[in-house]
Amino acid sequence: MASHRLTRIQRQSWDGSRWKASILIVAVILVSVFSLLVNMTYVKHVLSNVPLSPIQTLSKLATSVDAKSDRSCSIPTFRASSRGRTRNISCQRIKPSEQSCKLAEKYFSDQQPRDCGSYTELCTLKFADKQQYLHCHQEACPSGVFVLGTFSPKMGTMIWTTFPTSEMLERRFQQLVTNNDSSMKTGIAFIECRANVTSEEHVTTNTACMALQDDVRKGRKLYSKQLLIFPNITEPVDKGTREKTNSRLNINILLIDSVSHSHLFRTLPLSLERLRRMDEDRSHGHYVFNFDRMQSLRAATHESLQVLFSGQFFQLRRVFPFRPMFSALRKKGYSIIWNEDICWQQNWGMAKYFDVFKESWMDTRWDQFQKMASSSFVDYSGASIASCEQMYSSCVKDPFQKEPVCYNGHYQHWYTLEYAKQIQSFYQQESKPYFQYTEFNVAHSSDGNRVKTLDKDLEAYLEYISTTNNTLTVLLSDHGTKYTEYAMTDHEGHVELFHPFLFILAPRNLADFVGTLGMNNLAKNQDRLVSFLDIHLMLRYLIGMSPIPDNTHLSDFDFQSRGLLDTISPARTCSSLPLFRGTGCICDTVLNITRTIQDSGHLVLAEYGLGYLNNQIQSQAHQGRNNADKLCNRLVGTDISDVIETKGKNDAIEVKMRIYIKQGKPYRTPDVYSFIFDISWSSGRIDVGWFGPISIYGKYGTCRDRDVDPVICICDVETDPTTDSGIASLDKYTRTFNLTSVMRRTSRCLTILERRRKTGLVLEAVNLCRGVSIEFEVTGVTKNVASTSGLPARYIIHGEGSLFLVAFLLADCREDWSVYYAVEEHSISIF
């Protein structure tokens, strides 16, 4: 292959003899160099003579962004008096720009989600002498029959039974309750009024959407439906260990997924007003503590809850380590209730935490779920069981859809809160301790407005909480919204992703458990940087668990044994917290960070990031069952943003950025991924430190390759049947980030794509031949560059595929850089 050179010649004066001798020497050198570089490509870049700092960071070729150049607006606060108390706090929240606040108002101020219509009451539950009685209204179902749906704990399905009259239904329900039938233990039952259903007909499917479609075909019209909630509380199996006493503090946790501190103030005004009234009115039985510097350890529910319940981080467990905390609760006499608006049959919520969502367990999944719940000491999960029927009757499988889930005139979360309230009322009346966790996913949507539907029902629930006693309520979120346009395009929207909210509603007698010092520390810590780990350590103390030893994983971080109940240092910053990779800090005082305008070096890193993912896609698809289909698209970059560089130890640097990727059809906006790159200038090595999607999760579920990780697969939901899905040419590979590749064909099948930029070079290989695998080697010599892999390096590329090879990046921006490389094919395999 011919050599390609960029050279610079300096003209000088020479006398004749020296000129001839010099020509001879130069000729000899050129011949020698040429003989060494046969079939090699030479890429050299000469920087313009601009004085640069000797510090080797990418930002020296970029323009720093002055964060103070843009006007800012304030972060909302729970109390107006708290604005002036934070001068001595090291963590000052990053201020949003005025433009960010205007965008937030544009996206979230006017839009209101649809309501759920009117409520129909078919039956009424009455309580007398600790007994439950059902009274049904025949006039509410004049042209049909009543259908009772109860949950079978043996089969894990709903069983439907028809009754011609309301009296027959009432008698059957009373019989089930009186005999303490196993179908009543969940504390839920469904009542429906239907037409054209015989009294002998039973419906046993738990897929209500399929049943509804079948009913339409058979003319069995559904007139109305109702969910009855009656927590049928019984003692757990090991009731001999329980303490029937009021000496234990009840613990009540409510988590709203995907709501930032600021978004709470935008979307839940009624609930906030209720909290303020509780805070101001001393006649209420609770103190209200608001922690306005709550830092997410990672913008993911699974990891956040693992820290909350176990104190363990970084090592993500497939099965949640509930057992130590819940075992301690059980030994102290607590009942444990787990409520959520996710059906246990889906791969979310409890099913994910228990790791029971496996294809091979389809027939035994309920048995596995029960075993895991029992071994984790979870006593009641009726709200999750009810969620299945609620969602399936609306023909959705999870609460992550755009529209809110409705059932008989109420939002789904109304029933979840009602279930939680009725269980609490029972334990309050019986003076028995309980630990209740309730999770809402209504905010987990792409528009950010659906959470507004929670406001009225949450406000009513908080009013109920104000009447309870001996109960500590923790109201919080795990992170901000990920999937709105605001989060994906605006810097403040991105910061909000890592800034959840936290309220603690403490009963007046909390000082009996934590002392005056603990109460004072709760108040003092409201202005300081806190995290899920501080909450966990507080819960450990309240439950009576032993403190985490000093020589464990906490030893590298700034934490106190009682968490929020101890004094948190006002000097605490994000460097003192165990943040997962990819987690942004909400503080504006982090050292050694430069926010930059992207340059060509950042684009080289972005190409490496997408090449890293494309190689994974190719490898997983080739090893899987559907490798011939190539369902996942090659990831093509369109732009980058939010480039942040952080200096590490010695001469290392961390570069974080967002990468925008060409979307699959029919979507109109690019998909967005966040990347972190680790660069060591001393070793000359570049690595992908972390990556994660920011776009809507699961939107390619119907077209993706099942053998490829769904996190990295972008595909066409809608396809053009006239377009050949196979690789017909190099066209789909030659351009990315608006740069066209230089093509260097080494053989009939193999082509090397070369993309040069001012501060680096990227090499990619393409194999155009079907059914042919090629093994080849890349050798070379480099000067003044860091790279993603060393040379020489061997590769195998499969038929009709691409393979990212290597990226080279300028190291010292005061000197020139160059890359010599050659490609040699070693073997070809035909399959």
Side-chain angles (χ1 to χ4, degrees), residues 75-89 92 261 265 276 279 289-293 523-528:
I75 301 294
T77 58
F78 180 63
R79 301 181 186 89
S81 60
S82 64
R83 293 185 184 275
R85 299 202 310 256
T86 64
R87 295 178 182 176
N88 297 323
I89 305 298
Q92 297 295 322
H261 172 90
F265 285 80
R276 289 191 175 105
D279 184 48
F289 300 96
N290 171 232
F291 300 81
D292 57 12
R293 286 168 176 77
K524 189 186 304 181
N525 292 332
Q526 291 180 96
D527 301 319
R528 302 180 182 180

PDB file of all heavy atoms in Angstrom, residues 75-89 92 261 265 276 279 289-293 523-528:
ATOM      1  N   ILE A  75     -33.246  27.339  43.199  1.00  0.00           N
ATOM      2  CA  ILE A  75     -33.795  26.015  43.448  1.00  0.00           C
ATOM      3  C   ILE A  75     -34.927  26.166  44.462  1.00  0.00           C
ATOM      4  O   ILE A  75     -34.779  26.858  45.469  1.00  0.00           O
ATOM      5  CB  ILE A  75     -32.710  25.073  44.012  1.00  0.00           C
ATOM      6  CG1 ILE A  75     -31.545  24.952  43.031  1.00  0.00           C
ATOM      7  CG2 ILE A  75     -33.288  23.699  44.320  1.00  0.00           C
ATOM      8  CD1 ILE A  75     -31.899  24.284  41.746  1.00  0.00           C
ATOM      9  N   PRO A  76     -36.083  25.542  44.224  1.00  0.00           N
ATOM     10  CA  PRO A  76     -37.190  25.691  45.186  1.00  0.00           C
ATOM     11  C   PRO A  76     -36.845  25.090  46.540  1.00  0.00           C
ATOM     12  O   PRO A  76     -36.119  24.095  46.632  1.00  0.00           O
ATOM     13  CB  PRO A  76     -38.345  24.940  44.513  1.00  0.00           C
ATOM     14  CG  PRO A  76     -37.693  23.993  43.553  1.00  0.00           C
ATOM     15  CD  PRO A  76     -36.450  24.676  43.089  1.00  0.00           C
ATOM     16  N   THR A  77     -37.349  25.708  47.593  1.00  0.00           N
ATOM     17  CA  THR A  77     -37.110  25.234  48.951  1.00  0.00           C
ATOM     18  C   THR A  77     -38.439  25.052  49.677  1.00  0.00           C
ATOM     19  O   THR A  77     -39.431  25.706  49.366  1.00  0.00           O
ATOM     20  CB  THR A  77     -36.234  26.217  49.741  1.00  0.00           C
ATOM     21  OG1 THR A  77     -36.875  27.501  49.764  1.00  0.00           O
ATOM     22  CG2 THR A  77     -34.859  26.350  49.111  1.00  0.00           C
ATOM     23  N   PHE A  78     -38.434  24.150  50.643  1.00  0.00           N
ATOM     24  CA  PHE A  78     -39.643  23.847  51.403  1.00  0.00           C
ATOM     25  C   PHE A  78     -39.999  24.995  52.346  1.00  0.00           C
ATOM     26  O   PHE A  78     -41.167  25.343  52.510  1.00  0.00           O
ATOM     27  CB  PHE A  78     -39.422  22.555  52.190  1.00  0.00           C
ATOM     28  CG  PHE A  78     -40.595  22.131  53.022  1.00  0.00           C
ATOM     29  CD1 PHE A  78     -41.803  21.798  52.429  1.00  0.00           C
ATOM     30  CD2 PHE A  78     -40.491  22.046  54.403  1.00  0.00           C
ATOM     31  CE1 PHE A  78     -42.886  21.391  53.198  1.00  0.00           C
ATOM     32  CE2 PHE A  78     -41.562  21.640  55.175  1.00  0.00           C
ATOM     33  CZ  PHE A  78     -42.762  21.314  54.567  1.00  0.00           C
ATOM     34  N   ARG A  79     -38.989  25.572  52.938  1.00  0.00           N
ATOM     35  CA  ARG A  79     -39.192  26.703  53.847  1.00  0.00           C
ATOM     36  C   ARG A  79     -38.440  27.907  53.294  1.00  0.00           C
ATOM     37  O   ARG A  79     -37.275  27.812  52.927  1.00  0.00           O
ATOM     38  CB  ARG A  79     -38.671  26.390  55.251  1.00  0.00           C
ATOM     39  CG  ARG A  79     -39.322  25.190  55.909  1.00  0.00           C
ATOM     40  CD  ARG A  79     -38.751  24.984  57.312  1.00  0.00           C
ATOM     41  NE  ARG A  79     -39.252  23.767  57.926  1.00  0.00           N
ATOM     42  CZ  ARG A  79     -38.670  22.574  57.790  1.00  0.00           C
ATOM     43  NH1 ARG A  79     -37.553  22.478  57.077  1.00  0.00           N
ATOM     44  NH2 ARG A  79     -39.187  21.512  58.368  1.00  0.00           N
ATOM     45  N   ALA A  80     -39.093  29.052  53.284  1.00  0.00           N
ATOM     46  CA  ALA A  80     -38.446  30.264  52.800  1.00  0.00           C
ATOM     47  C   ALA A  80     -37.266  30.648  53.676  1.00  0.00           C
ATOM     48  O   ALA A  80     -36.269  31.202  53.202  1.00  0.00           O
ATOM     49  CB  ALA A  80     -39.450  31.416  52.750  1.00  0.00           C
ATOM     50  N   SER A  81     -37.320  30.304  54.958  1.00  0.00           N
ATOM     51  CA  SER A  81     -36.256  30.675  55.891  1.00  0.00           C
ATOM     52  C   SER A  81     -34.972  29.901  55.667  1.00  0.00           C
ATOM     53  O   SER A  81     -33.919  30.258  56.196  1.00  0.00           O
ATOM     54  CB  SER A  81     -36.727  30.466  57.328  1.00  0.00           C
ATOM     55  OG  SER A  81     -37.073  29.104  57.540  1.00  0.00           O
ATOM     56  N   SER A  82     -35.026  28.815  54.873  1.00  0.00           N
ATOM     57  CA  SER A  82     -33.837  27.972  54.699  1.00  0.00           C
ATOM     58  C   SER A  82     -32.855  28.543  53.695  1.00  0.00           C
ATOM     59  O   SER A  82     -31.725  28.077  53.594  1.00  0.00           O
ATOM     60  CB  SER A  82     -34.254  26.569  54.244  1.00  0.00           C
ATOM     61  OG  SER A  82     -34.862  26.628  52.968  1.00  0.00           O
ATOM     62  N   ARG A  83     -33.230  29.575  52.948  1.00  0.00           N
ATOM     63  CA  ARG A  83     -32.356  30.102  51.903  1.00  0.00           C
ATOM     64  C   ARG A  83     -31.091  30.730  52.467  1.00  0.00           C
ATOM     65  O   ARG A  83     -30.054  30.718  51.849  1.00  0.00           O
ATOM     66  CB  ARG A  83     -33.105  31.131  51.057  1.00  0.00           C
ATOM     67  CG  ARG A  83     -34.236  30.529  50.242  1.00  0.00           C
ATOM     68  CD  ARG A  83     -34.856  31.573  49.349  1.00  0.00           C
ATOM     69  NE  ARG A  83     -36.005  31.058  48.627  1.00  0.00           N
ATOM     70  CZ  ARG A  83     -35.947  30.400  47.490  1.00  0.00           C
ATOM     71  NH1 ARG A  83     -34.772  30.175  46.937  1.00  0.00           N
ATOM     72  NH2 ARG A  83     -37.036  29.974  46.893  1.00  0.00           N
ATOM     73  N   GLY A  84     -31.167  31.309  53.662  1.00  0.00           N
ATOM     74  CA  GLY A  84     -30.012  32.000  54.189  1.00  0.00           C
ATOM     75  C   GLY A  84     -29.167  31.199  55.151  1.00  0.00           C
ATOM     76  O   GLY A  84     -28.237  31.733  55.757  1.00  0.00           O
ATOM     77  N   ARG A  85     -29.465  29.909  55.313  1.00  0.00           N
ATOM     78  CA  ARG A  85     -28.775  29.119  56.321  1.00  0.00           C
ATOM     79  C   ARG A  85     -27.633  28.293  55.763  1.00  0.00           C
ATOM     80  O   ARG A  85     -27.066  27.485  56.476  1.00  0.00           O
ATOM     81  CB  ARG A  85     -29.765  28.164  57.003  1.00  0.00           C
ATOM     82  CG  ARG A  85     -30.902  28.828  57.723  1.00  0.00           C
ATOM     83  CD  ARG A  85     -31.472  27.862  58.770  1.00  0.00           C
ATOM     84  NE  ARG A  85     -31.744  26.555  58.215  1.00  0.00           N
ATOM     85  CZ  ARG A  85     -32.955  26.099  57.921  1.00  0.00           C
ATOM     86  NH1 ARG A  85     -34.003  26.862  58.109  1.00  0.00           N
ATOM     87  NH2 ARG A  85     -33.110  24.892  57.432  1.00  0.00           N
ATOM     88  N   THR A  86     -27.319  28.443  54.500  1.00  0.00           N
ATOM     89  CA  THR A  86     -26.404  27.495  53.849  1.00  0.00           C
ATOM     90  C   THR A  86     -25.062  28.097  53.485  1.00  0.00           C
ATOM     91  O   THR A  86     -24.322  27.502  52.713  1.00  0.00           O
ATOM     92  CB  THR A  86     -27.073  26.938  52.582  1.00  0.00           C
ATOM     93  OG1 THR A  86     -27.277  28.023  51.660  1.00  0.00           O
ATOM     94  CG2 THR A  86     -28.398  26.287  52.897  1.00  0.00           C
ATOM     95  N   ARG A  87     -24.718  29.248  54.020  1.00  0.00           N
ATOM     96  CA  ARG A  87     -23.480  29.903  53.600  1.00  0.00           C
ATOM     97  C   ARG A  87     -22.247  29.087  53.973  1.00  0.00           C
ATOM     98  O   ARG A  87     -21.244  29.126  53.264  1.00  0.00           O
ATOM     99  CB  ARG A  87     -23.413  31.290  54.219  1.00  0.00           C
ATOM    100  CG  ARG A  87     -24.502  32.240  53.708  1.00  0.00           C
ATOM    101  CD  ARG A  87     -24.421  33.594  54.384  1.00  0.00           C
ATOM    102  NE  ARG A  87     -25.483  34.476  53.922  1.00  0.00           N
ATOM    103  CZ  ARG A  87     -25.700  35.703  54.404  1.00  0.00           C
ATOM    104  NH1 ARG A  87     -24.898  36.176  55.365  1.00  0.00           N
ATOM    105  NH2 ARG A  87     -26.674  36.435  53.933  1.00  0.00           N
ATOM    106  N   ASN A  88     -22.299  28.373  55.074  1.00  0.00           N
ATOM    107  CA  ASN A  88     -21.130  27.616  55.530  1.00  0.00           C
ATOM    108  C   ASN A  88     -21.160  26.162  55.072  1.00  0.00           C
ATOM    109  O   ASN A  88     -20.352  25.358  55.530  1.00  0.00           O
ATOM    110  CB  ASN A  88     -21.035  27.682  57.056  1.00  0.00           C
ATOM    111  CG  ASN A  88     -20.827  29.100  57.554  1.00  0.00           C
ATOM    112  OD1 ASN A  88     -20.116  29.883  56.927  1.00  0.00           O
ATOM    113  ND2 ASN A  88     -21.451  29.432  58.676  1.00  0.00           N
ATOM    114  N   ILE A  89     -22.077  25.820  54.182  1.00  0.00           N
ATOM    115  CA  ILE A  89     -22.190  24.458  53.663  1.00  0.00           C
ATOM    116  C   ILE A  89     -21.336  24.331  52.412  1.00  0.00           C
ATOM    117  O   ILE A  89     -21.464  25.122  51.468  1.00  0.00           O
ATOM    118  CB  ILE A  89     -23.661  24.110  53.345  1.00  0.00           C
ATOM    119  CG1 ILE A  89     -24.543  24.333  54.570  1.00  0.00           C
ATOM    120  CG2 ILE A  89     -23.765  22.681  52.839  1.00  0.00           C
ATOM    121  CD1 ILE A  89     -24.196  23.465  55.749  1.00  0.00           C
ATOM    122  N   GLN A  92     -22.884  23.505  47.643  1.00  0.00           N
ATOM    123  CA  GLN A  92     -23.852  24.464  47.139  1.00  0.00           C
ATOM    124  C   GLN A  92     -24.437  23.918  45.849  1.00  0.00           C
ATOM    125  O   GLN A  92     -23.701  23.590  44.917  1.00  0.00           O
ATOM    126  CB  GLN A  92     -23.198  25.822  46.899  1.00  0.00           C
ATOM    127  CG  GLN A  92     -22.650  26.475  48.156  1.00  0.00           C
ATOM    128  CD  GLN A  92     -23.740  26.843  49.147  1.00  0.00           C
ATOM    129  OE1 GLN A  92     -24.825  27.274  48.766  1.00  0.00           O
ATOM    130  NE2 GLN A  92     -23.464  26.647  50.438  1.00  0.00           N
ATOM    131  N   HIS A 261     -36.038  16.698  43.212  1.00  0.00           N
ATOM    132  CA  HIS A 261     -36.417  17.695  44.219  1.00  0.00           C
ATOM    133  C   HIS A 261     -37.222  18.821  43.576  1.00  0.00           C
ATOM    134  O   HIS A 261     -38.296  19.185  44.064  1.00  0.00           O
ATOM    135  CB  HIS A 261     -35.147  18.246  44.876  1.00  0.00           C
ATOM    136  CG  HIS A 261     -35.373  19.403  45.775  1.00  0.00           C
ATOM    137  ND1 HIS A 261     -35.635  19.265  47.121  1.00  0.00           N
ATOM    138  CD2 HIS A 261     -35.368  20.742  45.530  1.00  0.00           C
ATOM    139  CE1 HIS A 261     -35.790  20.462  47.660  1.00  0.00           C
ATOM    140  NE2 HIS A 261     -35.628  21.375  46.717  1.00  0.00           N
ATOM    141  N   PHE A 265     -41.763  20.048  43.449  1.00  0.00           N
ATOM    142  CA  PHE A 265     -42.381  21.356  43.633  1.00  0.00           C
ATOM    143  C   PHE A 265     -43.204  21.764  42.419  1.00  0.00           C
ATOM    144  O   PHE A 265     -44.163  22.533  42.546  1.00  0.00           O
ATOM    145  CB  PHE A 265     -41.298  22.405  43.919  1.00  0.00           C
ATOM    146  CG  PHE A 265     -40.730  22.324  45.311  1.00  0.00           C
ATOM    147  CD1 PHE A 265     -39.764  21.390  45.626  1.00  0.00           C
ATOM    148  CD2 PHE A 265     -41.181  23.172  46.309  1.00  0.00           C
ATOM    149  CE1 PHE A 265     -39.236  21.295  46.904  1.00  0.00           C
ATOM    150  CE2 PHE A 265     -40.661  23.095  47.598  1.00  0.00           C
ATOM    151  CZ  PHE A 265     -39.693  22.145  47.906  1.00  0.00           C
ATOM    152  N   ARG A 276     -46.479  21.422  54.514  1.00  0.00           N
ATOM    153  CA  ARG A 276     -46.220  22.710  55.161  1.00  0.00           C
ATOM    154  C   ARG A 276     -47.186  22.951  56.317  1.00  0.00           C
ATOM    155  O   ARG A 276     -46.802  23.487  57.369  1.00  0.00           O
ATOM    156  CB  ARG A 276     -46.316  23.840  54.129  1.00  0.00           C
ATOM    157  CG  ARG A 276     -45.152  23.870  53.130  1.00  0.00           C
ATOM    158  CD  ARG A 276     -45.157  25.157  52.307  1.00  0.00           C
ATOM    159  NE  ARG A 276     -43.992  25.247  51.444  1.00  0.00           N
ATOM    160  CZ  ARG A 276     -44.009  25.051  50.129  1.00  0.00           C
ATOM    161  NH1 ARG A 276     -45.148  24.749  49.516  1.00  0.00           N
ATOM    162  NH2 ARG A 276     -42.892  25.155  49.422  1.00  0.00           N
ATOM    163  N   ASP A 279     -46.064  21.009  59.134  1.00  0.00           N
ATOM    164  CA  ASP A 279     -44.863  21.607  59.716  1.00  0.00           C
ATOM    165  C   ASP A 279     -45.192  22.812  60.599  1.00  0.00           C
ATOM    166  O   ASP A 279     -44.563  23.034  61.637  1.00  0.00           O
ATOM    167  CB  ASP A 279     -43.922  22.020  58.582  1.00  0.00           C
ATOM    168  CG  ASP A 279     -42.610  22.565  59.079  1.00  0.00           C
ATOM    169  OD1 ASP A 279     -41.988  21.930  59.948  1.00  0.00           O
ATOM    170  OD2 ASP A 279     -42.187  23.632  58.594  1.00  0.00           O
ATOM    171  N   PHE A 289     -39.208  17.181  58.482  1.00  0.00           N
ATOM    172  CA  PHE A 289     -37.821  17.493  58.131  1.00  0.00           C
ATOM    173  C   PHE A 289     -37.659  17.329  56.617  1.00  0.00           C
ATOM    174  O   PHE A 289     -38.003  16.274  56.068  1.00  0.00           O
ATOM    175  CB  PHE A 289     -36.839  16.570  58.855  1.00  0.00           C
ATOM    176  CG  PHE A 289     -36.911  16.647  60.349  1.00  0.00           C
ATOM    177  CD1 PHE A 289     -37.673  15.726  61.067  1.00  0.00           C
ATOM    178  CD2 PHE A 289     -36.237  17.643  61.045  1.00  0.00           C
ATOM    179  CE1 PHE A 289     -37.746  15.785  62.447  1.00  0.00           C
ATOM    180  CE2 PHE A 289     -36.305  17.709  62.432  1.00  0.00           C
ATOM    181  CZ  PHE A 289     -37.066  16.784  63.136  1.00  0.00           C
ATOM    182  N   ASN A 290     -37.149  18.368  55.965  1.00  0.00           N
ATOM    183  CA  ASN A 290     -36.907  18.315  54.517  1.00  0.00           C
ATOM    184  C   ASN A 290     -35.420  18.468  54.249  1.00  0.00           C
ATOM    185  O   ASN A 290     -34.802  19.455  54.646  1.00  0.00           O
ATOM    186  CB  ASN A 290     -37.676  19.425  53.799  1.00  0.00           C
ATOM    187  CG  ASN A 290     -37.272  19.547  52.340  1.00  0.00           C
ATOM    188  OD1 ASN A 290     -36.946  20.626  51.871  1.00  0.00           O
ATOM    189  ND2 ASN A 290     -37.287  18.439  51.616  1.00  0.00           N
ATOM    190  N   PHE A 291     -34.846  17.490  53.562  1.00  0.00           N
ATOM    191  CA  PHE A 291     -33.419  17.479  53.261  1.00  0.00           C
ATOM    192  C   PHE A 291     -33.244  17.901  51.796  1.00  0.00           C
ATOM    193  O   PHE A 291     -33.483  17.093  50.888  1.00  0.00           O
ATOM    194  CB  PHE A 291     -32.823  16.104  53.524  1.00  0.00           C
ATOM    195  CG  PHE A 291     -32.987  15.666  54.963  1.00  0.00           C
ATOM    196  CD1 PHE A 291     -34.180  15.128  55.415  1.00  0.00           C
ATOM    197  CD2 PHE A 291     -31.949  15.840  55.864  1.00  0.00           C
ATOM    198  CE1 PHE A 291     -34.334  14.748  56.731  1.00  0.00           C
ATOM    199  CE2 PHE A 291     -32.091  15.459  57.191  1.00  0.00           C
ATOM    200  CZ  PHE A 291     -33.293  14.916  57.629  1.00  0.00           C
ATOM    201  N   ASP A 292     -32.850  19.164  51.595  1.00  0.00           N
ATOM    202  CA  ASP A 292     -32.868  19.700  50.236  1.00  0.00           C
ATOM    203  C   ASP A 292     -31.576  19.467  49.463  1.00  0.00           C
ATOM    204  O   ASP A 292     -31.448  19.925  48.331  1.00  0.00           O
ATOM    205  CB  ASP A 292     -33.224  21.187  50.235  1.00  0.00           C
ATOM    206  CG  ASP A 292     -32.292  22.026  51.095  1.00  0.00           C
ATOM    207  OD1 ASP A 292     -31.243  21.503  51.504  1.00  0.00           O
ATOM    208  OD2 ASP A 292     -32.627  23.192  51.368  1.00  0.00           O
ATOM    209  N   ARG A 293     -30.601  18.746  50.071  1.00  0.00           N
ATOM    210  CA  ARG A 293     -29.393  18.350  49.358  1.00  0.00           C
ATOM    211  C   ARG A 293     -29.249  16.832  49.390  1.00  0.00           C
ATOM    212  O   ARG A 293     -28.268  16.295  49.844  1.00  0.00           O
ATOM    213  CB  ARG A 293     -28.156  19.032  49.952  1.00  0.00           C
ATOM    214  CG  ARG A 293     -28.040  20.507  49.602  1.00  0.00           C
ATOM    215  CD  ARG A 293     -26.983  21.187  50.450  1.00  0.00           C
ATOM    216  NE  ARG A 293     -26.794  22.572  50.074  1.00  0.00           N
ATOM    217  CZ  ARG A 293     -27.608  23.567  50.405  1.00  0.00           C
ATOM    218  NH1 ARG A 293     -28.677  23.308  51.140  1.00  0.00           N
ATOM    219  NH2 ARG A 293     -27.373  24.811  50.015  1.00  0.00           N
ATOM    220  N   ALA A 523     -32.656  18.043  62.492  1.00  0.00           N
ATOM    221  CA  ALA A 523     -32.926  19.417  62.068  1.00  0.00           C
ATOM    222  C   ALA A 523     -31.695  20.051  61.433  1.00  0.00           C
ATOM    223  O   ALA A 523     -31.779  20.729  60.394  1.00  0.00           O
ATOM    224  CB  ALA A 523     -33.390  20.241  63.264  1.00  0.00           C
ATOM    225  N   LYS A 524     -30.533  19.830  62.024  1.00  0.00           N
ATOM    226  CA  LYS A 524     -29.297  20.437  61.543  1.00  0.00           C
ATOM    227  C   LYS A 524     -28.893  19.890  60.171  1.00  0.00           C
ATOM    228  O   LYS A 524     -28.370  20.614  59.316  1.00  0.00           O
ATOM    229  CB  LYS A 524     -28.186  20.176  62.556  1.00  0.00           C
ATOM    230  CG  LYS A 524     -26.884  20.922  62.297  1.00  0.00           C
ATOM    231  CD  LYS A 524     -25.813  20.468  63.273  1.00  0.00           C
ATOM    232  CE  LYS A 524     -26.262  20.642  64.724  1.00  0.00           C
ATOM    233  NZ  LYS A 524     -25.208  20.214  65.675  1.00  0.00           N
ATOM    234  N   ASN A 525     -29.136  18.607  59.929  1.00  0.00           N
ATOM    235  CA  ASN A 525     -28.674  17.959  58.700  1.00  0.00           C
ATOM    236  C   ASN A 525     -29.538  18.278  57.482  1.00  0.00           C
ATOM    237  O   ASN A 525     -29.209  17.851  56.367  1.00  0.00           O
ATOM    238  CB  ASN A 525     -28.628  16.444  58.893  1.00  0.00           C
ATOM    239  CG  ASN A 525     -27.553  16.017  59.872  1.00  0.00           C
ATOM    240  OD1 ASN A 525     -26.537  16.702  60.023  1.00  0.00           O
ATOM    241  ND2 ASN A 525     -27.769  14.891  60.539  1.00  0.00           N
ATOM    242  N   GLN A 526     -30.618  19.003  57.673  1.00  0.00           N
ATOM    243  CA  GLN A 526     -31.508  19.306  56.551  1.00  0.00           C
ATOM    244  C   GLN A 526     -30.812  20.092  55.442  1.00  0.00           C
ATOM    245  O   GLN A 526     -31.202  20.000  54.280  1.00  0.00           O
ATOM    246  CB  GLN A 526     -32.731  20.089  57.043  1.00  0.00           C
ATOM    247  CG  GLN A 526     -33.672  19.278  57.909  1.00  0.00           C
ATOM    248  CD  GLN A 526     -34.866  20.107  58.353  1.00  0.00           C
ATOM    249  OE1 GLN A 526     -35.927  20.063  57.737  1.00  0.00           O
ATOM    250  NE2 GLN A 526     -34.686  20.877  59.414  1.00  0.00           N
ATOM    251  N   ASP A 527     -29.792  20.877  55.802  1.00  0.00           N
ATOM    252  CA  ASP A 527     -29.096  21.705  54.813  1.00  0.00           C
ATOM    253  C   ASP A 527     -27.815  21.066  54.298  1.00  0.00           C
ATOM    254  O   ASP A 527     -27.092  21.684  53.522  1.00  0.00           O
ATOM    255  CB  ASP A 527     -28.755  23.070  55.425  1.00  0.00           C
ATOM    256  CG  ASP A 527     -29.987  23.817  55.896  1.00  0.00           C
ATOM    257  OD1 ASP A 527     -30.995  23.782  55.172  1.00  0.00           O
ATOM    258  OD2 ASP A 527     -29.946  24.418  56.977  1.00  0.00           O
ATOM    259  N   ARG A 528     -27.517  19.840  54.719  1.00  0.00           N
ATOM    260  CA  ARG A 528     -26.240  19.217  54.375  1.00  0.00           C
ATOM    261  C   ARG A 528     -26.418  18.099  53.347  1.00  0.00           C
ATOM    262  O   ARG A 528     -27.514  17.605  53.132  1.00  0.00           O
ATOM    263  CB  ARG A 528     -25.569  18.710  55.642  1.00  0.00           C
ATOM    264  CG  ARG A 528     -25.375  19.884  56.593  1.00  0.00           C
ATOM    265  CD  ARG A 528     -24.732  19.577  57.885  1.00  0.00           C
ATOM    266  NE  ARG A 528     -24.667  20.805  58.697  1.00  0.00           N
ATOM    267  CZ  ARG A 528     -24.147  20.871  59.901  1.00  0.00           C
ATOM    268  NH1 ARG A 528     -23.619  19.796  60.459  1.00  0.00           N
ATOM    269  NH2 ARG A 528     -24.134  22.015  60.551  1.00  0.00           N
TER     270      ARG A 528
END
